[in-house]
Amino acid sequence: MKKALLLLLMGTTLFVSCSKDDDDTPAVKTKSEMLVRTWEVQTGSIGLGTATPITGYTKGGTGNLIDMSKFKLEFKTGGDFVQTSLDGTSSTGKWALTDNDTKLSLTTTQIPTPDVWNITTLSETNFDIARQIAGNSTAPGDLYWKNLIDTFGKPLGITSAAGASIAVKTIPVK
């Protein structure tokens, strides 16, 4: 009887310990799920023509060439997003991940055709994007960014005529 009780107790213990589900393991998030939040710029860099890119903005830095502290991107479930511009004004649009989640496509009233960025990093803690712009490009998204570069760069003698590369590193807003 003692042996039967001991075997029953050991079997129950083994059954309970082996049947525990892995509910403690968090589900792996998709790239879209990781993107859905508000992001703020940590650094922004630009390269003109074939020149080595320079960092024009670092969050909390002094002597930034451009103030990107107000710029935010809020991605919502369902494909909507809100962009807070450099001057603090907001606009809305649609977002989508494309090319196996390696590109971000943004559409707004200012840029009605997709403005496509390469995703260099997308995790829970970092969202980094980059793009190349040819100096002779007439694509609406490229023209938008060329205009910004030319407008903000004018006092510094900076122009997008030879093309540009833009890289933006963001972190979630706390």
Side-chain angles (χ1 to χ4, degrees), residues 85-96:
S85 297
L86 300 176
D87 63 2
T89 60
S90 294
S91 60
T92 59
K94 293 287 189 182
W95 69 269

Side-chain angles (χ1 to χ4, degrees), residues 67-120:
D67 181 9
M68 297 181 79
S69 61
K70 294 178 184 173
F71 186 86
K72 307 244 184 322
L73 289 168
E74 178 187 359
F75 296 95
K76 299 179 179 188
T77 303
D80 292 323
F81 82 96
V82 177
Q83 174 181 305
T84 304
S85 297
L86 300 176
D87 63 2
T89 60
S90 294
S91 60
T92 59
K94 293 287 189 182
W95 69 269
L97 295 179
T98 62
D99 290 356
N100 219 12
D101 296 343
T102 62
K103 296 190 184 299
L104 172 68
S105 176
L106 302 172
T107 307
T108 64
T109 53
Q110 295 92 349
I111 309 173
T113 59
D115 186 27
V116 180
W117 290 78
N118 295 313
I119 298 172
T120 54

Side-chain angles (χ1 to χ4, degrees), residues 22-97:
D22 289 334
D23 291 352
D24 297 341
T25 305
V28 176
K29 287 188 174 183
T30 66
K31 295 289 186 182
S32 291
E33 290 169 330
M34 284 189 259
L35 186 62
V36 173
R37 67 188 70 219
T38 303
W39 300 89
E40 63 184 348
V41 177
Q42 184 175 12
T43 63
S45 64
I46 186 165
L48 298 172
T50 58
T52 302
I54 60 166
T55 301
Y57 174 80
T58 300
K59 182 180 175 186
T62 58
N64 286 322
L65 299 176
I66 188 167
D67 181 9
M68 297 181 79
S69 61
K70 294 178 184 173
F71 186 86
K72 307 244 184 322
L73 289 168
E74 178 187 359
F75 296 95
K76 299 179 179 188
T77 303
D80 292 323
F81 82 96
V82 177
Q83 174 181 305
T84 304
S85 297
L86 300 176
D87 63 2
T89 60
S90 294
S91 60
T92 59
K94 293 287 189 182
W95 69 269
L97 295 179

